[in-house]
Amino acid sequence: MTYSPTQNSQLLASYEYYETMPTASSTGPVVLQQDELMYYSGNPELKNSPSHEVGLQAVWLPSNKWQLAFSGFHYYITDRRVSDYLPEGPDGKMLRFYTNNGNYVSTMIGINATAKLLGGRLTARINPRLWLRRTTGVFAMTRNELTCTAQLSYFFGNFYTTGWYMTPSHYPDENSGIESKTSSQYQLQLGWGSGAWNLRVSASNFLRSDWRANREILRSEYYDMSRRVYSPSQHMGFALTATYTFGYGKRVERDNELKHESSASSAILK
C-alpha cells in the first residue's frame, strides 16, 4: 500500500508471505561422503519453512536539496531448515544432516538521508541501519549491530569525484548455525565526461593488502568450524575505464555516466 498525504511525502507498507520447499538433495536419504572427516545425508521428513516479512517506509522531500527516508522491516522464518551434526557417520566420522529446527527473526530500522548542495554539484548520502537478529533452536544466538554506508560526490566542470564507505558486519545465516564476519569496503573514483566520451579511474580498498573477504564460524554440541573466505573483491584494486557512446542518429541518454565499480549498497543478509 502507498499513501501520499502531501506532494512532498509518501508512506509505503508491504507484507510478503512465502514458503521455502526442501530441495531434492536435502530430502534424499542416501549417506554420501563430503570430505575426509564428514558424511552427509538428507531427510525425507523435511517440511516447508514459512516466511513472513512486514515492511514500512516514510519518504519526505522538503526541497530539491534534501531527501529523507525512514524504513524498516520485520522478517521471520518458522521451522527453518538447518544442517545439524552428530558423531554417527561411517567409520566414526561426523554426519551432517538436514532438519527443521528453530526460528530466524530479523528486524531492521534505518534512515537514508540525501543532501544536494552547492547548486547540486555536491551530493552527500548516509544510510545508518540498526539490525536486531535472533535465532532459536539448536543454533540459538542473538546478534545486534549498527551498520552504515556513506557516499560523497562532487562535480566540477567536466570532472567528477565520488567516494563511498561501508562498515563491516557480523550476522547469523538464515538456514544454518554459521556466523559471518565481513570486512569494511570503500572506494574512491575520479572521472571526466564530455560529449560521447567518459573516462574514470577508481581505487577500491586501497589500504588493504590481504585477500580476506569474511570469516565464518560455527559452534554446535559436537562440531565446531572456523573458516576464512578469500576474494579478490576485498583486496586493493585499481581500474581505468574509457567509454565512448555511439548515438547512431538517435537520442542517447547519458544520465548514468557516474557509476561505481562496485555497489555501495548494503550486502547484509536478512
Side-chain angles (χ1 to χ4, degrees), residues 96-241:
R96 176 173 65 86
F97 64 99
Y98 292 96
T99 181
N100 293 101
N101 190 288
N103 304 327
Y104 175 89
V105 183
S106 177
T107 303
M108 188 279 294
I109 303 172
I111 301 174
N112 195 334
T114 302
K116 296 182 179 180
L117 308 172
L118 302 179
R121 296 195 306 273
L122 178 64
T123 302
R125 295 184 177 91
I126 188 168
N127 181 207
R129 293 183 174 186
L130 175 63
W131 300 83
L132 308 174
R133 301 185 182 94
R134 180 171 59 89
T135 60
T136 63
V138 64
F139 298 110
M141 71 179 76
T142 299
R143 291 289 178 266
N144 302 328
E145 66 173 347
L146 178 65
T147 64
C148 186
T149 300
Q151 180 178 321
L152 192 65
S153 302
Y154 182 65
F155 296 82
F156 47 101
N158 290 335
F159 292 87
Y160 61 84
T161 181
T162 182
W164 60 263
Y165 175 81
M166 184 168 63
T167 58
S169 179
H170 181 189
Y171 58 89
D173 185 70
E174 291 183 9
N175 297 310
S176 73
I178 295 178
E179 304 173 58
S180 292
K181 296 182 178 181
T182 65
S183 303
S184 61
Q185 297 184 57
Y186 47 91
Q187 184 186 86
L188 288 177
Q189 186 178 118
L190 176 65
W192 171 86
S194 180
W197 284 99
N198 181 264
L199 305 176
R200 62 182 179 271
V201 58
S202 63
S204 305
N205 305 318
F206 46 85
L207 299 178
R208 183 173 298 138
S209 59
D210 61 73
W211 301 83
R212 291 177 293 184
N214 64 300
R215 183 183 179 190
E216 297 179 348
I217 302 170
L218 173 70
R219 298 182 180 91
S220 66
E221 183 178 2
Y222 298 106
Y223 179 74
D224 291 349
M225 180 268 293
S226 179
R227 177 170 57 201
R228 286 284 188 184
V229 179
Y230 296 86
S231 170
S233 64
Q234 297 293 328
H235 190 265
M236 70 169 64
F238 303 92
L240 175 63
T241 307

Side-chain angles (χ1 to χ4, degrees), residues 4-25:
S4 300
T6 67
Q7 291 184 346
N8 299 332
S9 60
Q10 189 177 63
L11 301 174
L12 301 94
S14 63
Y15 171 76
E16 294 183 25
Y17 172 82
Y18 56 92
E19 295 191 13
T20 304
M21 299 176 59
T23 62
S25 61

Side-chain angles (χ1 to χ4, degrees), residues 26-44:
S26 63
T27 56
V30 180
V31 177
L32 301 173
Q33 188 165 5
Q34 176 176 306
D35 52 42
E36 292 83 356
L37 302 176
M38 182 81 66
Y39 282 80
Y40 70 93
S41 71
N43 180 0

